[in-house]
Structure formats: structure tokens, C-alpha cells
């Protein structure tokens, strides 16, 4: 029994010793609590955990925070492109279409924001496919221009269930759900699509995006039969809100038959002979074309609504029974004073003014809408009753129809102008040509088409690992190997951008662009740049971005930590003891017990020593010439020129147990703790080993 207890105690002590050894290699990360924030330090994915500089998470951070952040700063904050102070951008979002800006006023900054939203919404593959489709197809460009110029706005037609049609839009509709196939169409400039909102389905947007669907849409709207139906709708719009008259012929038994003159004048006499001796019943009322949505957008030119929906109704006001048929057989109110008086006032000389009698209401089945009295069908065909309505009220149509058509043309012109403004403010292709470049970029495609060899890359070749070049650059967020050179960038802006400020960007902001390329050449791991320098930059850049707003010492010493300053800490790796002094002098470091060498730390140290080239050979961390005094680093700047993180025999320097170089009794801010620095230098060692492997 006693032997079992002894063995159990020894086993427990062995487990505790093993845990203590492991803890030496995996020091905890602890920071001072920040008011209003979590006390646990959080960093971007990949920081302090990636095992190689080629990790996808780190390369994404590099292209985001160096290349893309610079372009966003130029487009959003520079004098030539920035938004007006009180202008707030607004986006329309829906499940059927990508987000698009609805209050664009002409700035490249707005278009850049819209490109970002579109790119995130549809993904790189769909974005690039849309660019290449427009870039490589003149037919596509002509199709887009024809649709935008002529076939936008209300009274547009699209039937994906037409005979022989195979449209993807069928997936969003059920047979019988739409009857007229007319609706209101607006276009999205990129990715180009025509979005139709049918009259019967208010609020439901059906996108027409595929090439075959756009061709079908254009073909159907150019069909003479569809154009005739559209003409019917336009004439009904012209009668909206106007007093109209309808004429009926009383039949035997009290039934009422619509008075419809034949379409050809030589048939009128025979028609009138059939109706001779029968009383005429004249009705007068207001015709209304209602939209299905409460708020109606009106065109000021003629009060024409461009919202979807087309419900016709007739509110009857007056009725007149005429015994002398010759008073009303002539429908031309300009030559018929009797009809003109009834249309204006609701009564005529010698006839009493009355509302619709009950007998008439029963005979015509009068209800709240009276759509059947107008002769309007679901397909908007020109029925005899509808033709009679237009003939009888031709004077109103002659006056108002040109104004309605002009208002709708003005609306289409406005849509076309808005489309062109967005395209000329900043092209959609700028996003994949410059902001997030890849094999689809303009300069890459131009070189491939001409068969010319590529020029010297804008970024250096990757450090000693050709097989990893594709892995490093194959990223949805943009690829470093496809970043255009200054010459390629200038050619692209000159050829594709119409905004004069964009075309002059390399002249007005040349120093900014040159500095951007220098930052890339300095940070991208290569034969000249140690990957540890890249990891060092990513760590301090991430720490500053996340906590500069919460840690006052960062802002108090902004030029020492902000990566926008060339002399800041992210660009100049320091040995551990110099970093501690640097942070302590700025109130960011709290001295604490250094971690003892642990089992895993010793293992990493031995693995690191096996990879050394020669004993005592240094790993240069800063190939750029460093002045004797670097602004912001004080007297530590003189030591940066020969700074080394480690040498061959110093892989375990992170476990150095020497006393911390602080004056007794001097307190520090405490944001950065020894545990965080232990983790940082351990990670840098892993990065160096994993990248060279």
C-alpha cells in the first residue's frame, strides 16, 4: 500500500515537472487591461502563429496594409478625390443583385467604395469574369449601350417563359405569377444587368444578367407586337388623372353595347346603319393608373410615375341619355359642341345632369375599379373597347401623349447619363488591374497578347523558394507578383481611365507612389530581405492598428510606431534588450521574470542551430542604409545599422535570464509584457526556420 502511494506521488511530480518545462517554451501573452476592452490581447489571423513567411494569412495582411491601404488613402483622402464633407454615400442592397450606390455624385472615391462593396459581394471570380467579358467583346458593349439608352424605365417587357426561351430568370418566377410581363427596369453598371420589377410583383427584383437573357430581353422589346402593347400603356398613362367619356348603345331589353366605330372609315356607314334609332348612353369619369407601392416617384415633366405597377381604374361621375343619335355619332370633340360640353361639365344643353343610374350600373356591372369598362386586358392588347376609348378621347391624347413620351425619354436619358458617370468616375477594372492585381489584370493580358517578355517585377523575387512563388501570389485578395510596374500603371491609367484626375494621378502623387513601391521592395521576403523583417513589420503594424486608439502611449509617440513613418519601429528590427529599452522609455513595457529555457524551446534551439550556415554568421535584418541617428528612435538609432536579432549560437536568446535593464523603482505603462516579447521572438525564430526550409 505504501509503495503504491509513493509511486503515485512520484508520477504526479513528474507530470508537474513536464508541465513546467513545457510552459518555459510556450510563455503566456498578457497585457495590461484597457478600459472598455477585453484584457486578452487579440491579433489578426496568422500573427504569432504562422510557421512561414509564405503563410496565406500573412501575405494577405501585407497586400492589404501596404499596397491596398495606400491606394485607398489616395482615393479617399487626397485633395483630388475625397468626398464632400457632408456627403453620405448610400447603397441599395438586395438578394437578387449586388449592392450599388444610389446617390453617386461623380467622385472617384465613391466609385472606389462601390468597387469594394461589389468585389466583396460577388467574389473575385465573378468580378474578373465580368471585366473580361466586357473587355474582350465589342458585341457585349453594343448590347449594354442599346439597353441603357433605350430600354430602361417603366413599360419594359421580359417573358422568360416565351416559346423557345431558356432563361435562368425562370428560377425566380412561378408560372402564372406574372400575367402582363411588363414592369420597370433599372440597370446596374457593373456587373452589368437589367433588373426588372414586374407590375404584379412589387418589391420582387428579377435580374437579367446572362448574355442569353440580355439578348432575349432586347429582342422581345424590339418586337413590333410588344411595342404595340407598350404604346397602349403609354396612352393610358397620358389619360391618367383626366376626365374621359365612354359611349354605349342601348339594346333591346335594356342591355348596353359599347359604341365602337370600325378602324376603317369606309366601314362606318354600315356600322351606324345597324345602330340607327337606338338611344345613346354617355358616361363620364376620371381614369386613374395606380401603382402598387404607396410612394410614387414622379417625373416633373408630366407627372408620370416610374414606379412598378399598372392598375387602371375608372371612377364614374356622370351619365347622359341621348335620344338623338346624330348629336353624338361624331366622336371628334373639336367639331362636336355637344360632346365637348358633356366632357367639360358632365351635362349638355337640354339634358339633365345625373350620376350613373342603378339600371346602368347593373347593366355594366359597375364596381370600384371598372377596368372591364376600359377594355384593358392583362396582355395590354388593343381591344375594340380600348380603341374606342382612345378614339373618343383623342383630343386629350394629342395634348398629353407627347409630354408623357418626352418625360419617359428624359428618364431614360438620365439613366444613361448616370451609367456613363459611374463608368467615367472610376472604371470597375481598376480594382483588378491595380488595387487587387492578378492574371486577369490589363497589363498582364496585354503582355500575353503581344507575346512580349514580362518586364522586371515591381516586387523582388521570393527568398530562395521558386516553388513557393505561386503559393505566395495565389491569393483571392490580390497577388504580389502581378503588381504593375510604374510604366505599366501609367499606360493603364492613360488608356482606360477617363477621369482627368485619375489620368494625372502619377503626376500629382508621384512621391506617394514611389514610396509605395519602395515599401514593397523593402518588406517582401527575397534574397535581399530576411523573412523575419517581414514578420516583424506585420506584428508591429497589427499591434498599432488594433490598439493605437486604446493605448495613449502609441499616440503620444506616433512617429515611433505608426507604419506610415519611414523611421518607425516596424521597419527596424531590434535585439531583445534594445527593444525592451525602447518600449520602456515610451511607457509601454513592464519588466517581469524572463521565461526559463524549456523543453520545446531547447528543441527549437537545436533545430535552429542545425540550420545555421556558419558559426558566427549574422542574419542581416536591415539591408537598407540606416543613418547614425533615426528620428524618433533617439540614441538607439545608431545601433540599428548593425542590429541583429540573433547569431548562430544565440537561438535561445529569448530565454536569456539576465536582469531587465530598468532603474529601480521606475514604473512603466505595462501594455507590452515579457510574455508577449517571449512569444514574438519565438515566433520570429520559427518564421526564419520555416521559410528557409
Amino acid at each position: 500500500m505504501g509503495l503504491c502511494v509513493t509511486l503515485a506521488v512520484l508520477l504526479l511530480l513528474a507530470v508537474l515537472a513536464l508541465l513546467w518545462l513545457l510552459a518555459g517554451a510556450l510563455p503566456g501573452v498578457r497585457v495590461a487591461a484597457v478600459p472598455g476592452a477585453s484584457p486578452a490581447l487579440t491579433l489578426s489571423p496568422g500573427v504569432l502563429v504562422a510557421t512561414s513567411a509564405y503563410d496565406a494569412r500573412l501575405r494577405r495582411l501585407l497586400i492589404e496594409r501596404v499596397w491596398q491601404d495606400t491606394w485607398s488613402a489616395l482615393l479617399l483622402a487626397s485633395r483630388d478625390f475625397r468626398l464632400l464633407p457632408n456627403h453620405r454615400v448610400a447603397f441599395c442592397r438586395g438578394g437578387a443583385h449586388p449592392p450599388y450606390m444610389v446617390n453617386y455624385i461623380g467622385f472617384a472615391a465613391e466609385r472606389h467604395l462601390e468597387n469594394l462593396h461589389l468585389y466583396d459581394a460577388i467574389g473575385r471570380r465573378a468580378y474578373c469574369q465580368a471585366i473580361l467579358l466586357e473587355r474582350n467583346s465589342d458585341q457585349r458593349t453594343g448590347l449594354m449601350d442599346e439597353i441603357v439608352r433605350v430600354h430602361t424605365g417603366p413599360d419594359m417587357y421580359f417573358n422568360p417563359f416565351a416559346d423557345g426561351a431558356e432563361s435562368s430568370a425562370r428560377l425566380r418566377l412561378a408560372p402564372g405569377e406574372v400575367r402582363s410581363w411588363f414592369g420597370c427596369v433599372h440597370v446596374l453598371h457593373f456587373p452589368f444587368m437589367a433588373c426588372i420589377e414586374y407590375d404584379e410583383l412589387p418589391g420582387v427584383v428579377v435580374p437579367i444578367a446572362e448574355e442569353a437573357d440580355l439578348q432575349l430581353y432586347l429582342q422581345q422589346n424590339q418586337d413590333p407586337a410588344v411595342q404595340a402593347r407598350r404604346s397602349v400603356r403609354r396612352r393610358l398613362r397620358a389619360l391618367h388623372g383626366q376626365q374621359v367619356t365612354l359611349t354605349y348603345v342601348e339594346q333591346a331589353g335594356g342591355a348596353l353595347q359599347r359604341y365602337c366605330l370600325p378602324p376603317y372609315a369606309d366601314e362606318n356607314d354600315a356600322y351606324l346603319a345597324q345602330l340607327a334609332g337606338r338611344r345613346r348612353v354617355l358616361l363620364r369619369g376620371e381614369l386613374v393608373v395606380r401603382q402598387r407601392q404607396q410612394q410614387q416617384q414622379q417625373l416633373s415633366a408630366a407627372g408620370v410615375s416610374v414606379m412598378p405597377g399598372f392598375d387602371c381604374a375608372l371612377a364614374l361621375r356622370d351619365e347622359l341619355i341621348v335620344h338623338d343619335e346624330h348629336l353624338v355619332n361624331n366622336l371628334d370633340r373639336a367639331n362636336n359642341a355637344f360632346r365637348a360640353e358633356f366632357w367639360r361639365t358632365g351635362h349638355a344643353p337640354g339634358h339633365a345632369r345625373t350620376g350613373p343610374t342603378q339600371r346602368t350600373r347593373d347593366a355594366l356591372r359597375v364596381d370600384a375599379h371598372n377596368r372591364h369598362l376600359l377594355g384593358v386586358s392583362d396582355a395590354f392588347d388593343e381591344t375594340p373597347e380600348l380603341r374606342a376609348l382612345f378614339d373618343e378621347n383623342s383630343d386629350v391624347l394629342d395634348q398629353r401623349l407627347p409630354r408623357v413620351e418626352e418625360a419617359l425619354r428624359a428618364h431614360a436619358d438620365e439613366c444613361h447619363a448616370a451609367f456613363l458617370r459611374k463608368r467615367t468616375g472610376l472604371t470597375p477594372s481598376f480594382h483588378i488591374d491595380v488595387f487587387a492585381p492578378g492574371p486577369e489584370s490589363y497589363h498582364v493580358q496585354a503582355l500575353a497578347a503581344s507575346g512580349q517578355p514580362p518586364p522586371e517585377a515591381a516586387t523582388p523575387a521570393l527568398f530562395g523558394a521558386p516553388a513557393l512563388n505561386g503559393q505566395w501570389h495565389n491569393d483571392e485578395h490580390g497577388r504580389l507578383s502581378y503588381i504593375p510596374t510604374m510604366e505599366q500603371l501609367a499606360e493603364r491609367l492613360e488608356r482606360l481611365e477617363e477621369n482627368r484626375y485619375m489620368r494625372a494621378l502619377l503626376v500629382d502623387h508621384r512621391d506617394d507612389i514611389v514610396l509605395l513601391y519602395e515599401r514593397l521592395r523593402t518588406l517582401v521576403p527575397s534574397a535581399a530581405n530576411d523573412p523575419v523583417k517581414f514578420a516583424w513589420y506585420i506584428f508591429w503594424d497589427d499591434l498599432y492598428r488594433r490598439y493605437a486608439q486604446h493605448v495613449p502611449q502609441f499616440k503620444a509617440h506616433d512617429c515611433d510606431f505608426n507604419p506610415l513613418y519611414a523611421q518607425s519601429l516596424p521597419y527596424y528590427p531590434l535585439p531583445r534588450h534594445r527593444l525592451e529599452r525602447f518600449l520602456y522609455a515610451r511607457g509601454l513595457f513592464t519588466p517581469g521574470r524572463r521565461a526559463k529555457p524549456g523543453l520545446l524551446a531547447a528543441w527549437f534551439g537545436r533545430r535552429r542551430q542545425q540550420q545555421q550556415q556558419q558559426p558566427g554568421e549574422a542574419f542581416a535584418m536591415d539591408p537598407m542604409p540606416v543613418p547614425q541617428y533615426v528620428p524618433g528612435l533617439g540614441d538607439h538609432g545608431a545601433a540599428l545599422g548593425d542590429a541583429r536579432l540573433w547569431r548562430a549560437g544565440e537561438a535561445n536568446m529569448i530565454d536569456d535570464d539576465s536582469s531587465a535593464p530598468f532603474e529601480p523603482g521606475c514604473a512603466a505603462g505595462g501594455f507590452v509584457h515579457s510574455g508577449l516579447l517571449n512569444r514574438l521572438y519565438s515566433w520570429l525564430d520559427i518564421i526564419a526556420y520555416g521559410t528557409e526550409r
Side-chain angles (χ1 to χ4, degrees):
M1 183 66 180
L3 180 61
C4 293
V5 173
T6 301
L7 292 175
V9 171
L10 292 176
L11 180 61
L12 177 61
L13 292 175
V15 171
L16 293 176
L18 179 61
L19 292 176
W20 181 84
L21 290 173
L22 291 175
L26 299 173
V29 175
R30 181 174 65 86
V31 299
V34 179
S38 172
L41 180 69
T42 58
L43 297 173
S44 295
V47 180
L48 295 184
V49 296
T51 59
S52 169
Y54 305 111
D55 189 283
R57 295 167 293 182
L58 298 186
R59 66 175 181 259
R60 174 166 182 165
L61 290 175
L62 179 63
I63 198 167
E64 275 184 348
R65 297 184 174 182
V66 177
W67 179 259
Q68 294 181 351
D69 271 13
T70 301
W71 283 108
S72 291
L74 285 175
L75 294 175
L76 298 177
S78 65
R79 179 184 65 256
D80 302 332
F81 304 108
R82 62 190 176 196
L83 299 176
L84 297 177
N86 297 324
H87 179 60
R88 297 176 63 89
V89 297
F91 286 85
C92 177
R93 302 177 185 276
H97 57 78
Y100 65 93
M101 189 175 295
V102 296
N103 60 340
Y104 176 71
I105 60 176
F107 289 94
E110 297 172 285
R111 286 286 302 109
H112 178 59
L113 292 175
E114 188 174 36
N115 285 346
L116 289 171
H117 280 271
L118 289 171
Y119 189 85
D120 290 341
I122 67 177
R124 183 178 184 88
R125 181 185 299 273
Y127 197 101
C128 293
Q129 286 177 348
I131 290 292
L132 296 178
L133 184 61
E134 294 182 12
R135 184 173 285 170
N136 301 327
S137 175
D138 293 336
Q139 181 181 1
R140 171 81 172 191
T141 304
L143 177 67
M144 292 164 48
D145 184 69
E146 178 69 14
I147 291 176
V148 175
R149 284 191 306 105
V150 182
H151 302 292
T152 57
D155 302 330
M156 294 298 124
Y157 182 90
F158 181 63
N159 181 6
F161 294 92
D163 295 338
E166 297 182 0
S167 172
S168 60
R170 292 184 176 188
L171 301 177
R172 298 181 177 272
L173 298 170
E177 196 173 14
V178 180
R179 299 181 302 276
S180 69
W181 299 111
F182 278 99
C184 184
V185 169
H186 65 275
V187 296
L188 271 63
H189 79 105
F190 184 85
F192 182 82
M193 64 178 63
C195 297
I196 186 168
E197 194 171 347
Y198 288 108
D199 293 340
E200 296 87 347
L201 298 175
V204 178
V205 177
V206 178
I208 309 171
E210 300 294 334
E211 185 78 12
D213 291 352
L214 292 171
Q215 292 282 3
L216 177 63
Y217 170 75
L218 186 60
Q219 176 186 350
Q220 289 181 347
N221 281 276
Q222 292 175 339
D223 188 337
V226 173
Q227 291 178 348
R229 298 176 190 174
R230 181 179 298 114
S231 176
V232 168
R233 291 170 61 97
R234 297 283 171 87
R235 283 179 281 178
L236 288 172
R237 288 185 185 277
L239 294 177
H240 168 68
Q242 304 299 306
Q243 297 294 330
V244 298
T245 61
L246 288 76
T247 302
Y248 287 85
V249 179
E250 190 176 64
Q251 303 288 344
L256 297 178
Q257 174 188 343
R258 188 69 178 273
Y259 181 74
C260 303
L261 289 175
Y264 303 104
D266 55 358
E267 300 176 357
N268 287 352
D269 293 341
Y271 179 77
L272 292 175
Q274 295 175 3
L275 304 179
R278 299 178 183 177
R279 294 194 304 179
R280 307 294 195 259
V281 177
L282 273 62
L283 299 177
R284 176 178 175 267
E286 181 183 3
L287 191 150
V288 179
V289 178
R290 300 171 180 166
Q291 273 64 44
R292 294 179 180 269
Q293 298 184 4
Q294 296 295 329
Q295 297 180 352
Q296 299 185 10
Q297 179 184 357
Q298 299 289 332
L299 297 180
S300 59
V304 180
S305 174
V306 295
M307 300 296 290
F310 204 96
D311 286 342
C312 293
L314 178 64
L316 293 178
R317 299 282 192 273
D318 305 294
E319 177 182 350
L320 192 66
I321 299 177
V322 181
H323 296 274
D324 186 357
E325 61 192 71
H326 297 92
L327 292 175
V328 296
N329 280 344
N330 182 11
L331 298 178
D332 185 6
R333 287 198 283 255
N335 299 315
N336 190 327
F338 187 89
R339 276 189 172 276
E341 182 68 17
F342 177 70
W343 171 70
R344 285 193 300 268
T345 64
H347 61 85
H351 295 75
R353 178 178 182 177
T354 63
T357 62
Q358 189 60 44
R359 178 183 177 183
T360 300
R361 290 179 177 275
D362 295 340
L364 298 179
R365 302 189 305 278
V366 173
D367 56 24
H369 298 283
N370 298 319
R371 180 186 174 103
H372 62 287
L373 299 183
L374 299 173
V376 179
S377 64
D378 290 337
F380 291 96
D381 294 318
E382 188 171 307
T383 60
E385 294 82 2
L386 197 55
R387 187 175 63 253
L389 173 70
F390 295 151
D391 290 343
E392 193 165 341
N393 299 276
S394 59
D395 54 339
V396 180
L397 288 176
D398 293 342
Q399 179 185 3
R400 290 183 51 82
L401 183 58
R403 297 168 56 191
V404 170
E405 292 180 340
E406 179 61 29
L408 294 176
R409 276 196 300 269
H411 176 70
D413 292 343
E414 182 181 347
C415 294
H416 187 217
F419 177 86
L420 295 179
R421 280 200 307 272
K422 281 197 173 184
R423 287 302 180 106
T424 55
L426 181 69
T427 58
S429 62
F430 179 87
H431 198 83
I432 65 167
D433 291 343
V434 178
F435 188 79
E440 310 87 359
S441 299
Y442 171 79
H443 60 280
V444 180
Q445 296 288 318
L447 287 174
S450 62
Q452 300 177 6
E456 183 179 356
T459 55
L462 298 184
F463 175 69
L468 293 175
N469 279 273
Q471 176 186 349
W472 174 275
H473 301 306
N474 184 20
D475 196 299
E476 285 257 339
H477 221 63
R479 308 179 187 181
L480 288 167
S481 60
Y482 291 108
I483 287 178
T485 63
M486 289 278 285
E487 294 75 14
Q488 291 170 336
L489 180 60
E491 179 188 358
R492 192 259 171 216
L493 294 176
E494 179 67 24
R495 178 163 297 188
L496 299 183
E497 296 295 336
E498 297 186 37
N499 186 332
R500 63 188 181 93
Y501 294 109
M502 289 298 301
R503 294 163 70 94
L505 187 144
L506 288 185
V507 177
D508 299 337
H509 299 275
R510 185 171 185 83
D511 292 342
D512 300 324
I513 302 299
V514 169
L515 181 59
L516 168 61
Y517 280 95
E518 288 299 324
R519 291 177 69 194
L520 285 176
R521 293 190 183 98
T522 301
L523 295 173
V524 174
S526 66
N529 296 338
D530 195 299
V532 176
K533 182 176 183 180
F534 159 68
W536 176 275
Y537 174 86
I538 291 296
F539 171 79
W540 289 108
D541 174 86
D542 196 64
L543 195 69
Y544 178 83
R545 287 173 182 265
R546 287 178 172 269
Y547 295 100
Q549 299 297 326
H550 306 288
V551 179
Q553 290 89 341
F554 275 140
K555 286 301 182 182
H557 304 279
D558 194 62
C559 62
D560 294 341
F561 296 98
N562 191 338
L564 296 180
Y565 292 95
Q567 73 273 18
S568 61
L569 177 65
Y571 297 101
Y572 300 101
L574 293 175
R576 170 69 177 265
H577 66 282
R578 293 189 181 277
L579 178 62
E580 290 178 351
R581 288 181 179 275
F582 178 84
L583 296 175
Y584 182 75
R586 288 152 182 80
L588 283 166
F589 184 70
T590 296
R593 180 184 62 85
R594 300 278 186 88
K596 298 289 184 180
L599 177 64
L600 293 184
W603 181 83
F604 276 122
R606 287 194 297 271
R607 297 288 294 176
R608 181 74 179 95
Q609 292 176 18
Q610 295 173 6
Q611 300 296 325
Q612 300 304 325
Q613 299 175 358
Q614 295 293 335
E617 182 177 352
F619 287 84
M621 296 308 302
D622 187 12
M624 298 178 62
V626 180
Q628 289 299 308
Y629 177 80
V630 180
L633 295 182
D635 57 357
H636 300 290
L640 290 180
D642 61 348
R644 303 290 185 265
L645 282 180
W646 47 67
R647 295 180 182 272
E650 299 175 352
N652 287 331
M653 191 179 70
I654 58 173
D655 299 317
D656 185 10
D657 196 31
S658 59
S659 59
F662 301 112
E663 298 180 5
C666 181
F671 177 73
V672 180
H673 190 266
S674 294
L676 177 60
L677 296 187
N678 292 341
R679 184 68 177 272
L680 169 62
Y681 282 91
S682 297
W683 181 56
L684 295 177
D685 194 36
I686 294 172
I687 287 292
Y689 165 66
T691 303
E692 294 178 18
R693 179 179 54 182

